[in-house]
Amino acid sequence: MRILILGGTAFLGRAIASDALVRGHSVTCAARGTSPTPAGAAFVRIERDDERGLTPLAGEAFDAIVDVSRTPRHVERAVRDLDADHWVFVSTTNVYARFDVPEQREDAELLDELEDLDDPDDYGRAKVTCERLVRGASATATVVRPGLIAGPGDDTSRSGYYPWRFAHPTGHDVLAPAGPDFPTAMIDVDDLAAWIVDAAERRLDGVFNATGPTTTLGEVVRLAAAASGSTAAPRWVDPADLAAHGIAPWMGARSLPLWIDDPDWRWFATLDTTAARTEGLVTRPLAETLARSLAYEAARPHSLDGDASRAGLSDGEERDLRAALEGAA
Ligand SMILES: NC(=O)c1ccc[n+]([C@@H]2O[C@H](COP(=O)([O-])OP(=O)(O)OC[C@H]3O[C@@H](n4cnc5c(N)ncnc54)[C@H](OP(=O)(O)O)[C@@H]3O)[C@@H](O)[C@H]2O)c1
């Protein structure tokens, strides 16, 4: 199969390219070239911000094109200018209008589309618009809606923070947001990539939630401690205390991941994945993904102070929070 990945040089796109190469497919990655291309793939330099930025791909025909864009204008140009028998569009679970209801299927209410096709920042609405553009232009298209993508290459540290923190405790315990029954889910990047290549091979037509099984924050923390071999115990901190000390949910500077302190978002990680699993999505045990995330985190620098692109507390931030909580007690 000739497969084009629009992107293909970053986290998920790279994993898709690597999986397709192992299967013997001919893989082309098209991007601006800020990251290296996976070994064995062809690289074509493109600039999707330009009206005619896909010209280097003109005249090429592909069996499948995979697009990871979040900018509707980029997708509009791609379906206008490129030729493929099948499209795979990587969307997101953020397309749904509500997360105050559990276990939503793919036909749940979506956000409204964007009016400005050049705006990638209104993420969920941008992806809704991208989905419609791909489905409207292609005879067959797989629209994949992943939840949190985990494992090697998750440079947001959302999947890797707790394993890494247990491996590097700043005291006798590891601070985590109460309560441990908060629902969460993550999908290993390589499981998702493998299923996306399957979908391209089979020209699978439809829309699919793609997350790992729903579990709890408490279970993630338990497995994270086990993956690190740590003897530190979790300490569940009241969200009111976290807010009082400026600790943010989910990600960004001074944050604790895999938790959102907003009842309207409580069920965001509980989507129904029956459709994808019926079509062959297989996900590995969470313990294995967390161990892979730990290995990834161990191999990169860990000064989190002031880094808004990463989730978690720096050593100093965790120590300060513990001291403040103990001072207040
Ligand atoms: N991470 C998560 O937990 C999560 C959860 C749900 C859904 N998703 C979705 O999963 C996908 C993740 O894919 P990814 O990790 O491969 O994506 P990514 O990190 O967004 O990478 C974007 C790719 O597109 C290229 N690119 C960016 N701007 C470009 C431009 N103007 N012209 C040409 N190429 C450009 C980049 O390479 P250059 O910079 O070299 O151009 C890179 O290869 C995204 O669709 C995301 O929305 C992610």
Side-chain angles (χ1 to χ4, degrees):
M1 187 171 71
R2 288 197 70 201
I3 180 166
L4 170 67
I5 304 174
L6 294 169
T9 58
F11 179 37
L12 175 63
R14 165 175 287 277
I16 296 168
S18 301
D19 187 281
L21 285 163
V22 167
R23 297 185 197 202
H25 295 308
S26 162
V27 177
T28 301
C29 299
R32 294 167 302 183
T34 61
S35 311
T37 308
F43 176 72
V44 174
R45 192 175 307 280
I46 57 169
E47 174 47 88
R48 302 183 74 178
D49 288 337
D50 292 348
E51 174 61 24
R52 293 291 158 195
L54 297 174
T55 301
L57 292 164
E60 304 255 11
F62 297 94
D63 299 300
I65 294 178
V66 179
D67 193 357
V68 299
S69 179
R70 63 182 66 203
T71 306
R73 187 75 69 198
H74 291 180
V75 173
E76 181 189 55
R77 290 174 183 145
V79 296
R80 179 194 69 192
D81 293 348
L82 301 178
D83 183 18
D85 294 333
H86 181 78
W87 286 74
V88 179
F89 181 69
V90 179
S91 185
T92 172
T93 52
N94 287 58
V95 292
Y96 293 110
R98 301 177 57 179
F99 290 107
D100 58 348
V101 283
E103 297 172 14
Q104 297 185 93
R105 291 190 324 209
E106 290 80 356
D107 57 0
E109 181 188 355
L110 301 182
L111 295 169
D112 292 336
E113 287 198 30
L114 273 185
E115 277 148 35
D116 176 3
L117 296 194
D118 294 300
D119 176 12
D121 295 330
D122 198 342
Y123 179 54
R125 292 178 65 200
K127 286 287 199 182
V128 172
T129 311
C130 294
E131 287 188 6
R132 194 254 309 154
L133 289 164
V134 170
R135 283 170 64 76
S138 180
T140 59
T142 316
V143 171
V144 187
R145 293 178 179 158
L148 176 65
I149 305 171
D154 171 19
D155 61 9
T156 72
S157 295
R158 287 173 294 184
S159 63
Y161 174 71
Y162 293 112
W164 177 83
R165 176 49 74 201
F166 274 99
H168 301 85
T170 63
H172 50 282
D173 53 22
V174 165
L175 305 187
D181 64 341
F182 187 79
T184 192
M186 56 184 90
I187 185 163
D188 192 288
V189 61
D190 287 336
D191 296 339
L192 179 59
W195 187 70
I196 284 172
V197 178
D198 284 349
E201 288 174 344
R202 295 168 51 209
R203 297 190 190 173
L204 182 61
D205 194 34
V207 182
F208 300 90
N209 292 332
T211 73
T214 299
T215 182
T216 61
L217 179 58
E219 179 65 357
V220 171
V221 164
R222 187 184 73 76
L223 293 172
S228 70
S230 172
T231 56
R235 173 170 173 179
W236 301 103
V237 184
D238 189 323
D241 289 332
L242 295 174
H245 292 95
I247 309 302
W250 193 241
M251 70 173 296
R254 284 175 67 78
S255 67
L256 285 170
L258 307 183
W259 149 75
I260 297 180
D261 188 28
D262 178 344
D264 286 348
W265 283 77
R266 178 157 182 95
W267 305 110
F268 86 107
T270 68
L271 293 159
D272 185 331
T273 57
T274 306
R277 288 181 188 277
T278 302
E279 294 292 350
L281 174 66
V282 176
T283 52
R284 72 192 69 199
L286 180 56
E288 190 179 327
T289 298
L290 292 173
R292 282 156 50 79
S293 293
L294 175 59
Y296 174 71
E297 294 292 342
R300 66 187 192 133
H302 253 277
S303 169
L304 288 173
D305 283 308
D307 186 346
S309 71
R310 303 265 288 267
L313 301 178
S314 68
D315 288 358
E317 288 165 349
E318 195 186 51
R319 282 196 191 98
D320 289 350
L321 177 59
R322 186 183 295 107
L325 293 169
E326 285 167 6

